[in-house]
Amino acid sequence: MTIADGPALPKLIGERVKRREDPRLIQGQATYVDDIKLPGMLHLAFKRSDIAHGVIRSIDTSAAAAMEGVELVITGAELAEHLGPMPIGTPFPAPDHYSVATDKVRYVGEPVAVVVAEDRYLARDAADAIEVEYDELPAVVDPEAAMEAGSATLHEGFERNIAVESYWGGTGVNPETAQPEDDSAVDAAFAEADVVVSQRMLNQRLAPNAMEPRGVVAHYEPGREYLTVWSATQNPHILRTLVAALMGLGEHQVRAVAPEVGGGFGCKINIYGEEYVAAALSRLVKAPVKWIEDRTEAFLTTTHGRDLLGYIDLAAKNDGTITGLKARIIADIGAYEVLLTAMIPTLTGLMMNGVYRLPVVRHELTEVFTNKTPTDAYRGAGRPEGLYFLERAVDMVARELGMDPAEIRRKNFVPPDEFPFATQGGLVYDSGNYEPCLDKALEVADWQGLLAERDAARAEGRIVGVGLSFYVEVCGLGPSAVVPTGGWEHSGVTVERGGKVTATTGASPHGQGNETTFAQMLADHFSIPLEDITILHGDTSVVKQGIGTFGSRSQAVGGAALISAAGKAGDKMKQFAAALMTDQEVSPEDLVFEDGRIQVEGAPEVSKTFAEVADYAYVPVPLPPGMEPGVSEEAFFEPENNTYPFGCHISMVEVDRDTGETKLLKLIAVDDCGNVINPLIVDGQVHGGLAQGIGQAMFEEVVYDEDGQPVTASFMDYVMPRAADLPVFELDRTVTPTPINPLGAKGVGEAGTIGSTPCVVNAAVDALAPFGVTHIEMPLRPERMWRLINEGGQS
Amino acid sequence: MSEPVPITINVNGRKRSAMVEARLLLVHFLRESLNLTGTHVGCDTSQCGACTVLLDGRSTKSCTVFAVQADGSEVQTIEGLADGDELHPLQDGFWEEHGLQCGYCTPGMIMSAVNLLEDNPAPSEAEIREGISGNICRCTGYQHIVNAIQHAAERMAQS
Amino acid sequence: MEIKGEHEFSGPKELLYELLLDPDVLAGALPGVERFEEIAPDTYESTMRVGIASVRGTYTGRVEVLEQAPPDSYRLKIDGSGKPGGVRADASVELTENGPGTTMHYRADVKARGTIARLGGRLLGGVARLLIGQFFKSIEQQVDDRAA
């Protein structure tokens, strides 16, 4: 019996481990979609509508088709013979939506024809040479006006441009009539309230702006009847399912690959027309084809986020007890429903319970078509909107009552002994302990000190404000009952010869660092070095099944699947180890993984190395009775519920009296995402989320003019947060594990985006409160702030 | 379309000659003609900085330069930054401090930082933030990038 | 977008009215015009080259003159398009006597689409003023020539 005297391996979960993804990325060696070149590859360019709404009268492709090097020019109507309308992933009624418009255009940027040419410049030239004539229709731009009788309509069968209407609350909705059975409790709560705040608020339209634009390479091999699609997507398995369906292929005939993906933030969940078109045209022209989006196209055609108008009423008693909420929400979803469009705004109302005991709620939601780019998920996807409305309203009540914003929240918290907590909307919060998180945030920020600093600054004539928000969000999407694509995740774990481990995950990352965190988990699980582990993802021919990365689900669902598969592989390793140690009468249940060995717990002298056991598993002589050779296991993990992380954000802003420019002086974020696998990566996720939430509060907005022309379609006009716009964020954590998965991890990808937006706007309103300001619409543009300083009131 | 023009550019220490269309952007020359795909394209209005390279030692957005304008110049890209197997201190700093997530803006960000540290070897936090304001990152909120550049500055000061 | 303004001319309004609606004068006075043809009564087709920033390009368009009330006022409907997108404008022009000279009041509702709207939107006002300025200068010259 030999004992390998390897070094003791430190536990890696919870450690600051440098990312294993980085060496290729910092040396320019990673492969993004645009880096892929295939022999004989042709290039696509799209002719897009430059009007918001109109009927296509004629398309003249002759000049384009005559250009040397142009392989094919095809219009939407012609393409419709090869591609049906695009599928969506929600159960709501939706109008037909073709990859390329067939008869009518409904937003600026909607494709009307496609060119296939030998090179990218030529394809662009040819697309520019296509002449399209339209019979223009009035553009529907304002969602409230869109619902009025007499408004132009986008789609037949959708009267007054209404896509979805829902109503819930009171003491319940009759499912037969969809009407509230008894709404009197809501009206009574408002009638009996000491204070009611009512505010119309816009959670404005944003462009996700992943730095890598979208792109696709499709290669249909006619002899094999096999399609490979490389795409900048967050979910290659969903891509495979939908492309196969639209192409009339089986999933066994399609391989989808998400190579290196340069950010997603929700906008790369949707499967877009360009992906279907690339697949169809590759089959048609019998060559690989590539399309890479430029930034202007991204602004016009990649899904936008948010754009919810809220009429919010919040009722409270004089002691700060919140007694009721009414929310009427109008979602401007743009011209079409794409993959998850109609579902996103439904999350807003559900999350408007926040961290509070809210006795009664009435919620009305209307989703409206307008002549704008379709909306879909954008980091936070429904939650930032809801938490913004709620946390602004709670702040307004506090101001009305002269209460400290921290104390009004403390007063209304769901107490820790009430978890799991069922909300008015029917969600069940898994775990929560809000007060320690609030206290830690107040301590880290030195809340009283901040208030004193603000007052001192005001005494000097400066315009300074502090703000606070407390959010809860929902992570770990599924379960399958609520995610139309399926809400599980899949993982495979193979112990290779020599004791190395290859694992696959369907949670396809695009910056989240799963190759590192998942390897940390396996290193601890098997007690082997990190270097002995490879995590593979993003290729449906390697990763057997999967859903994808969105809704902060990588760790809570994907990680749980990984641990489940690792458990199965570990069990088999222990069985092989026990078989190798039959002379010592070892039972698999007695074995543990320890420093590269499989040993009897507490008796390291009775052991085999991990590598020895792995080698035996592949040359199992003799084969233990009842066992198959090899160690390659897989698992699906179906979460029984979502996870509900929470946190408290505090900020301080100063507004320049002369220019109206707002400067964010401080931002403190204390987040609770349950157990943390890698604090370095969690901090990075929070930082990025904060920047995007702050971006919404201060800088970003997609603007259309009254004709539906987008006027913020480049980085010249759409203001992205830059390094000098942001302060050094101060982070801390509390840890309240979730009982929903074996890791106790809740998810953290979107948290920063959710808490920071209301936090910063609350601070800005506080700054301008001495001028009589009670609400400020986002973003905090200098011009808007200057007017409020000089004219008072609301914006 | 115009007649192809002959150019010779020294890229990462190697002379590269080609016949190019006059309208070909330097970034496309690097990516398409030389297969140096580490330099990325993130916008079409020269705002994002993903395509930043060093042109005769100065950080330059390679989407604003025609390949023919770089004729006779020296260009350094992310692929030419490491000294053999030894990472440049900035590459090391970005790795050490988690200065990247999706990695798309990273090559341009690092090349901008190379120029920044050449001009100012010990920049303050504010100077770093100002110095990289021509480069947009959507993932990191910039904080770890600032840390990464500070990390590199300290290491370069020691050596 | 609304573009409006006024301009003082030295000649009488009858002369101005005549000049402003004379295709030959217009062809010479509009900046960058390569072609200006009457295709129907009071309807003109033209090709015009603009060389400014992101609205650079060749535009073809149609101009209709409506509601003529000589020598006081008229209305123009303009619809032009080129590679960078298109512009549609509805303009009204009023001439009033001002001593020996004439004051022209103009007001146009301009709608842009395509790259012009997206990238050139904020340039459009400036470009329009520039082109209008050049146009007026040229008309001034014609007034002076006639007077001479």
Side-chain angles (χ1 to χ4, degrees):
Chain A
M1 159 92 353
T2 54
I3 297 172
D5 288 320
L9 292 168
K11 289 289 179 196
L12 294 181
I13 289 180
E15 292 304 309
R16 182 191 195 278
V17 175
K18 276 164 64 176
R19 291 207 323 170
R20 309 180 77 209
E21 292 84 345
D22 291 359
R24 65 177 185 266
L25 296 167
I26 55 180
Q27 297 183 88
Q29 300 301 333
T31 303
Y32 297 86
V33 174
D34 196 15
D35 304 339
I36 295 169
K37 271 188 185 176
L38 299 178
M41 188 170 75
L42 301 172
H43 297 262
L44 305 186
F46 288 80
K47 175 71 177 180
R48 297 181 183 279
S49 171
D50 60 8
I51 63 165
H53 198 191
V55 174
I56 299 168
R57 197 193 316 150
S58 67
I59 302 179
D60 181 356
T61 59
S62 55
M67 291 169 82
E68 200 185 320
V70 170
E71 180 77 20
L72 176 74
V73 185
I74 188 165
T75 65
E78 292 161 352
L79 195 66
E81 293 168 22
H82 306 274
L83 280 178
M86 292 185 279
I88 63 167
T90 69
F92 299 99
D96 277 355
H97 181 198
Y98 285 87
S99 305
V100 179
T102 54
D103 52 358
K104 196 176 170 188
V105 292
R106 296 181 176 87
Y107 64 95
V108 171
E110 184 168 8
V112 292
V114 196
V115 171
V116 187
E118 277 171 10
D119 82 51
R120 193 180 292 183
Y121 284 44
L122 180 61
R124 182 78 266 149
D125 284 344
D128 283 345
I130 297 171
E131 305 260 359
V132 187
E133 288 186 316
Y134 301 97
D135 291 321
E136 256 188 89
L137 296 166
V140 178
V141 180
D142 178 326
E144 291 185 286
M147 291 188 285
E148 282 166 16
S151 166
T153 51
L154 272 76
H155 300 284
E156 253 177 62
F158 290 83
E159 297 300 316
R160 298 192 297 125
N161 294 304
I162 292 173
V164 174
E165 260 181 318
S166 81
Y167 189 114
W168 55 263
T171 47
V173 174
N174 182 337
E176 303 266 303
T177 62
Q179 290 301 308
E181 285 179 327
D182 174 10
D183 222 11
S184 56
V186 180
D187 296 325
F190 276 81
E192 289 160 17
D194 295 325
V195 54
V196 172
V197 297
S198 300
Q199 183 66 50
R200 178 189 196 268
M201 307 182 209
L202 177 66
N203 198 275
Q204 80 273 28
R205 181 173 278 251
L206 301 177
N209 278 326
M211 291 316 298
E212 180 204 24
R214 291 186 294 122
V216 56
V217 172
H219 185 200
Y220 186 85
E221 296 165 78
R224 287 177 72 203
E225 310 310 323
Y226 194 84
L227 171 70
T228 306
V229 182
W230 293 262
S231 177
T233 180
Q234 296 176 224
N235 24 252
H237 286 88
I238 296 176
L239 173 66
R240 177 177 67 161
T241 299
L242 298 186
V243 167
L246 217 59
M247 292 280 289
L249 300 170
E251 290 196 22
H252 64 301
Q253 291 171 285
V254 180
R255 173 186 171 211
V257 186
E260 207 75 59
V261 175
F265 314 112
C267 75
K268 291 176 182 170
I269 301 173
N270 181 39
I271 310 305
Y272 288 86
E274 290 89 350
E275 290 166 298
Y276 298 117
V277 168
L281 292 186
S282 176
R283 180 158 68 181
L284 204 59
V285 301
K286 296 186 170 62
V289 300
K290 181 192 233 180
W291 171 74
I292 301 296
E293 182 182 65
D294 65 35
R295 183 57 59 185
T296 303
E297 284 181 299
F299 274 107
L300 300 183
T301 68
T302 292
T303 52
H304 292 164
R306 318 270 194 266
D307 212 350
L308 263 57
L309 180 61
Y311 289 87
I312 312 299
D313 303 286
L314 193 63
K317 292 292 187 188
N318 274 331
D319 68 354
T321 305
I322 297 169
T323 53
L325 168 73
K326 291 192 281 189
R328 185 161 70 83
I329 296 189
I330 298 155
D332 179 347
I333 61 172
Y336 295 96
E337 287 175 48
V338 297
L339 196 66
L340 302 176
T341 302
M343 196 185 94
I344 307 296
T346 65
L347 279 172
T348 298
L350 288 176
M351 290 313 297
M352 278 188 72
N353 215 107
V355 287
Y356 311 117
R357 298 167 100 158
L358 206 52
V360 289
V361 174
R362 180 192 295 159
H363 183 75
E364 291 172 73
L365 169 67
T366 314
E367 301 187 23
V368 185
F369 292 115
T370 60
N371 291 116
K372 300 177 191 170
T373 301
T375 57
D376 202 310
Y378 168 56
R379 202 172 194 168
R383 294 96 97 196
E385 299 91 317
L387 270 297
Y388 174 74
F389 293 146
L390 179 67
E391 286 300 289
R392 276 294 303 124
V394 170
D395 231 55
M396 292 176 82
V397 170
R399 192 164 295 284
E400 189 102 358
L401 292 174
M403 267 183 98
D404 183 289
E407 294 317 308
I408 192 171
R409 288 171 169 90
R410 189 192 302 277
K411 184 160 192 71
N412 289 284
F413 277 157
V414 176
D417 58 3
E418 285 189 21
F419 290 91
F421 175 80
T423 70
Q424 293 286 330
L427 304 176
V428 179
Y429 291 174
D430 56 337
S431 65
N433 194 4
Y434 302 144
E435 212 164 346
C437 182
L438 175 66
D439 286 333
K440 190 165 221 175
L442 295 176
E443 181 198 319
V444 173
D446 182 16
W447 178 250
Q448 292 304 328
L450 274 190
L451 296 178
E453 209 180 305
R454 173 198 67 187
D455 293 342
R458 280 184 184 168
E460 292 170 17
R462 290 161 60 199
I463 303 174
V464 174
V466 294
L468 181 148
S469 70
F470 205 109
Y471 71 89
V472 58
E473 62 136 338
V474 51
C475 287
L477 294 187
S480 293
V482 300
V483 185
T485 56
W488 44 265
E489 198 43 87
H490 177 271
S491 198
V493 172
T494 300
V495 180
E496 313 279 9
R497 286 180 171 83
K500 312 298 181 191
V501 171
T502 305
T504 63
T505 175
S508 182
H510 34 279
Q512 291 86 351
N514 298 9
E515 290 175 36
T516 307
T517 49
F518 282 21
Q520 286 176 255
M521 287 152 60
L522 291 180
D524 280 8
H525 188 88
F526 294 120
S527 198
I528 58 173
L530 196 72
E531 301 72 48
D532 288 0
I533 301 161
T534 295
I535 306 293
L536 298 175
H537 55 77
D539 182 341
T540 62
S541 70
V542 174
V543 183
K544 289 186 193 167
Q545 288 296 338
I547 299 295
T549 291
F550 49 85
S552 301
R553 67 195 304 278
S554 290
Q555 225 11 286
V557 189
L562 177 84
I563 286 302
S564 179
K568 291 183 188 179
D571 286 348
K572 207 164 176 200
M573 283 294 281
K574 287 176 185 174
Q575 288 177 13
F576 279 117
L580 272 182
M581 295 188 264
T582 43
D583 49 333
Q584 287 148 301
E585 294 184 12
V586 170
S587 148
E589 294 80 57
D590 301 331
L591 294 172
V592 292
F593 299 104
E594 195 71 50
D595 295 337
R597 297 187 307 277
I598 305 179
Q599 67 177 51
V600 171
E601 191 163 15
E605 68 281 3
V606 187
S607 70
K608 291 286 173 189
T609 67
F610 194 76
E612 272 178 286
V613 177
D615 287 344
Y616 171 55
Y618 289 95
V619 190
V621 185
L623 183 68
M627 285 192 74
E628 290 176 10
V631 181
S632 187
E633 300 295 319
E634 59 186 290
F636 289 84
F637 178 78
E638 168 74 32
E640 62 184 59
N641 189 7
N642 300 113
T643 60
Y644 292 86
F646 54 90
C648 182
H649 292 184
I650 293 173
S651 63
M652 185 179 216
V653 303
E654 175 159 10
V655 186
D656 186 305
R657 190 181 290 272
D658 297 327
T659 65
E661 194 181 357
T662 304
K663 186 155 183 60
L664 181 59
L665 301 176
K666 279 178 192 251
L667 197 136
I668 296 94
V670 177
D671 298 288
D672 190 322
C673 59
N675 288 335
V676 167
I677 311 295
N678 185 330
L680 187 65
I681 286 177
V682 167
D683 285 353
Q685 288 293 313
V686 174
H687 288 161
L690 291 175
Q692 280 172 277
I694 293 164
Q696 171 162 28
M698 299 182 65
F699 308 113
E700 301 181 35
E701 182 174 30
V702 171
V703 180
Y704 285 84
D705 73 10
E706 70 276 13
D707 301 314
Q709 289 289 340
V711 295
T712 49
S714 79
F715 286 143
M716 290 190 288
D717 297 294
Y718 187 91
V719 185
M720 292 279 277
R722 291 171 187 264
D725 298 324
L726 302 171
V728 176
F729 306 131
E730 299 168 61
L731 307 190
D732 211 325
R733 266 191 277 283
T734 58
V735 177
T736 309
T738 177
I740 299 304
N741 64 59
L743 306 161
K746 288 190 169 185
V748 71
E750 296 160 283
T753 321
I754 296 166
S756 56
T757 309
C759 172
V760 171
V761 175
N762 286 346
V765 172
D766 184 54
L768 298 195
F771 300 89
V773 172
T774 53
H775 180 66
I776 308 172
E777 291 284 33
M778 300 184 288
L780 306 172
R781 276 197 209 102
E783 177 248 354
R784 178 173 281 160
M785 300 298 277
W786 187 90
R787 277 184 198 286
L788 287 169
I789 291 168
N790 287 280
E791 294 161 16
Q794 292 194 349
S795 73
Chain B
M1 215 181 297
S2 54
E3 285 299 301
V5 180
I7 59 167
T8 300
I9 304 178
N10 186 316
V11 181
N12 298 330
R14 240 179 101 187
K15 255 192 185 174
R16 312 295 295 255
S17 298
M19 298 292 287
V20 301
E21 249 191 90
R23 64 174 176 170
L24 184 72
L25 297 173
L26 177 58
V27 65
H28 288 144
F29 175 69
L30 296 171
R31 290 180 50 82
E32 309 286 338
S33 310
L34 305 186
N35 287 318
L36 292 170
T37 55
T39 303
H40 298 146
V41 180
C43 73
D44 29 47
T45 52
S46 301
Q47 314 287 308
C48 83
C51 64
T52 305
V53 300
L54 298 184
L55 179 61
D56 292 328
R58 305 298 299 172
S59 62
T60 302
K61 290 176 178 173
S62 61
C63 74
T64 60
V65 179
F66 291 114
V68 292
Q69 291 175 292
D71 185 24
S73 298
E74 283 190 20
V75 170
Q76 192 180 20
T77 71
I78 190 72
E79 290 94 339
L81 193 58
D83 183 4
D85 285 340
E86 197 183 332
L87 294 177
H88 185 279
L90 272 160
Q91 291 171 311
D92 195 50
F94 272 70
W95 191 10
E96 199 61 52
E97 297 293 335
H98 188 25
L100 61 147
Q101 290 178 28
C102 82
Y104 198 77
C105 77
T106 310
M109 194 68 84
I110 289 178
M111 297 315 283
S112 282
V114 168
N115 198 163
L116 169 67
L117 291 186
E118 268 168 22
D119 287 353
N120 182 357
S124 67
E125 185 229 325
E127 286 169 338
I128 293 174
R129 287 183 183 269
E130 201 53 51
I132 58 169
S133 272
N135 295 70
I136 301 175
C137 169
R138 193 56 153 170
C139 293
T140 64
Y142 303 101
Q143 188 146 326
H144 282 160
I145 293 178
V146 173
N147 294 353
I149 296 171
Q150 285 170 332
H151 184 278
E154 283 161 24
R155 226 192 86 188
M156 288 162 82
Q158 284 160 10
S159 63
Chain C
M1 185 179 55
E2 189 178 62
I3 295 173
K4 60 178 183 179
E6 53 180 62
H7 192 83
E8 304 286 336
F9 291 95
S10 52
K13 69 177 181 180
E14 289 76 10
L15 173 60
L16 266 166
Y17 198 96
E18 189 195 319
L19 288 173
L20 287 168
L21 291 178
D22 179 337
D24 294 331
V25 173
L26 290 175
L30 284 167
V33 159
E34 294 179 340
R35 183 173 69 92
F36 197 92
E37 286 168 27
E38 188 161 10
I39 54 164
D42 300 326
T43 303
Y44 307 92
E45 233 177 42
S46 80
T47 306
M48 191 170 161
R49 182 180 289 274
V50 177
I52 304 164
S54 46
V55 300
R56 179 189 306 270
T58 300
Y59 296 81
T60 56
R62 179 176 288 218
V63 181
E64 256 182 282
V65 188
L66 307 161
E67 298 167 22
Q68 297 188 43
D72 298 317
S73 67
Y74 60 93
R75 200 171 131 221
L76 294 175
K77 276 182 84 172
I78 302 159
D79 189 348
S81 63
K83 248 187 205 174
V87 175
R88 194 167 296 166
D90 192 330
S92 56
V93 176
E94 259 180 65
L95 302 175
T96 51
E97 252 176 45
N98 184 3
T102 305
T103 302
M104 176 210 252
H105 295 270
Y106 61 93
R107 205 204 132 272
D109 186 24
V110 183
K111 291 186 175 186
R113 58 186 189 273
T115 311
I116 297 181
R118 291 196 294 278
L119 294 177
R122 57 193 168 152
L123 293 173
L124 204 56
V127 171
R129 269 186 290 280
L130 194 72
L131 297 180
I132 289 168
Q134 288 175 18
F135 172 67
F136 287 159
K137 214 177 223 174
S138 177
I139 294 287
E140 287 274 18
Q141 190 60 50
Q142 302 259 8
V143 173
D144 292 349
D145 290 351
R146 295 279 178 111

